[in-house]
Amino acid sequence: VIVSYSETLAWDSCPRQYHYQHDLKIIPVDLSDALSKGIKGHGLLQYFYQGLQDGLPVAEAKERVRIKAKQYLDVPGLNPEMADLLVVWGLVNQFIDTTDFSSYEVAIVENRYLFPLNRFTDDPLLSDVQIGFTPDVVLKRKGGFYTVEDAKFIGRAWSQKKLNRFPQAKLYELFLNDMGYNVTRSSIRFFNTKTNKITVHGESMTPQEGEILKRDFVKTVREIVIYKAGIHHEQTRRTMNYNNCQYCFFEQPCTAEAQGKDASKIIKHLFKRNDYDYSA
Ligand code: SF4
């Protein structure tokens, strides 16, 4: 069984959301602004970091980003996503122009791993479970220390409360350390598409915090494994926390089905199959 971090995020937000996203594997035909910008922004950053990893000077790695952005733009006819691309391209260029890349080397770029969960638990139910995870970039600093970094393209700054409780980069730090990397820092780099500001939120983790995070994560994965093993998906429950519904892509089919209606037409016309494999 493979479970990805994004599955745990969806599951904890709302099991029904998990059902649409990971059982039916659907996404809206019109992706939201944030999602569309995020996908393009990550694509451009990936090209840049791969250039550095290949040993290119910063200017040449930046040129790779320009070529990739042009490929996105060169779609024939009117391209409604052009504005999104220009925003994120501007931000990525700003990041490149204002950052000193000489103090570290790029160790890993968008590499997908499968981490055996039995490294964290001896629960027999989880003995064959692997965690699929893809760190955006892992940087090797002087002294053999590593930083794992995640990029977020956001339209609204995160609150301190949200930042305090964001576990993704810390979990990746735990996985990578178990794999033999000496990761001592995790960070999130925010690219704000409304204000054009770039900020970094750095984090460090005590061993005790790491153990608590592992424990919480294992419990969430356990719930998903039990769900995958047998519950009828049509009966997947909705969250009672309606706050999670305001930004949910699946509000329309979810509400129709909650009223006992057939949502197949809504799903057919407003959603498409998501071919992205979260777990491989
Ligand atoms: S609308 Fe609310 S209850 Fe329905 S899937 Fe989304 S988060 Fe869950």
Side-chain angles (χ1 to χ4, degrees):
V1 178
I2 297 172
V3 176
S4 66
Y5 170 76
S6 65
E7 284 183 70
T8 63
L9 191 63
W11 178 263
D12 272 350
S13 302
C14 170
R16 190 82 188 175
Q17 194 180 98
Y18 177 96
H19 163 66
Y20 293 120
Q21 205 168 317
H22 295 282
D23 294 333
L24 300 188
K25 297 184 190 304
I26 53 172
I27 48 169
V29 173
D30 297 320
L31 284 181
S32 78
D33 259 18
L35 200 55
S36 159
K37 284 175 185 151
I39 289 170
K40 292 189 186 71
H42 274 96
L44 296 182
L45 276 177
Q46 187 180 350
Y47 264 74
F48 175 70
Y49 281 127
Q50 271 167 352
L52 292 187
Q53 194 180 33
D54 291 347
L56 295 181
V58 171
E60 285 180 38
K62 186 178 171 188
E63 176 61 10
R64 276 200 187 175
V65 173
R66 190 189 69 79
I67 292 167
K68 181 67 189 167
K70 266 204 94 251
Q71 282 172 4
Y72 281 138
L73 287 172
D74 281 347
V75 177
L78 185 65
N79 179 0
E81 295 183 350
M82 193 180 283
D84 284 359
L85 179 71
L86 292 175
V87 170
V88 294
W89 188 12
L91 277 165
V92 170
N93 276 340
Q94 185 195 139
F95 164 60
I96 296 170
D97 292 342
T98 56
T99 305
D100 175 10
F101 297 97
S102 63
S103 60
Y104 55 76
E105 55 189 82
V106 177
I108 300 170
V109 186
E110 295 255 355
N111 208 3
R112 309 198 84 189
Y113 293 101
L114 291 178
F115 179 81
L117 196 60
N118 61 16
R119 304 283 304 173
F120 285 0
T121 175
D122 54 11
D123 183 338
L125 186 78
L126 303 176
S127 60
D128 290 333
V129 174
Q130 303 194 76
I131 304 303
F133 78 105
T134 310
D136 283 350
V137 65
V138 179
L139 307 166
K140 185 177 182 187
R141 311 193 309 274
K142 291 201 172 80
F145 301 107
Y146 289 81
T147 299
V148 57
E149 187 166 298
D150 192 59
K152 299 267 174 231
F153 289 81
I154 53 171
R156 190 177 26 202
W158 284 19
S159 69
Q160 189 57 47
K161 287 179 188 174
K162 192 169 169 180
L163 282 170
N164 291 345
R165 293 296 314 125
F166 179 71
Q168 182 181 4
K170 288 178 182 173
L171 275 168
Y172 289 7
E173 180 177 334
L174 291 171
F175 299 149
L176 288 164
N177 277 337
D178 200 87
M179 290 160 59
Y181 290 92
N182 189 11
V183 181
T184 54
R185 234 183 258 163
S186 54
S187 56
I188 322 168
R189 191 173 297 274
F190 290 104
F191 298 83
N192 192 314
T193 57
K194 290 279 186 311
T195 63
N196 283 326
K197 282 199 177 132
I198 302 170
T199 52
V200 183
H201 175 75
E203 301 181 311
S204 56
M205 181 169 44
T206 64
Q208 189 189 17
E209 187 184 357
E211 287 307 311
I212 293 168
L213 180 55
K214 277 184 201 173
R215 203 168 61 210
D216 287 350
F217 180 71
V218 165
K219 284 184 177 172
T220 305
V221 174
R222 194 175 200 281
E223 288 173 17
I224 294 172
V225 169
I226 290 170
Y227 169 81
K228 282 186 171 186
I231 292 176
H232 295 298
H233 293 158
E234 314 78 75
Q235 296 170 11
T236 313
R237 72 164 179 85
R238 292 155 185 82
T239 180
M240 289 296 133
N241 182 356
Y242 55 88
N243 282 319
N244 290 348
C245 303
Q246 60 184 325
Y247 301 116
C248 177
F249 299 138
F250 307 106
E251 186 271 339
Q252 283 192 56
C254 172
T255 303
E257 287 175 340
Q259 294 165 348
K261 296 175 185 160
D262 175 10
S264 56
K265 282 196 181 134
I266 296 175
I267 290 175
K268 186 170 170 212
H269 294 297
L270 299 183
F271 292 83
K272 61 184 176 186
R273 174 101 183 156
N274 183 8
D275 291 325
Y276 183 77
D277 185 354
Y278 292 94
S279 59

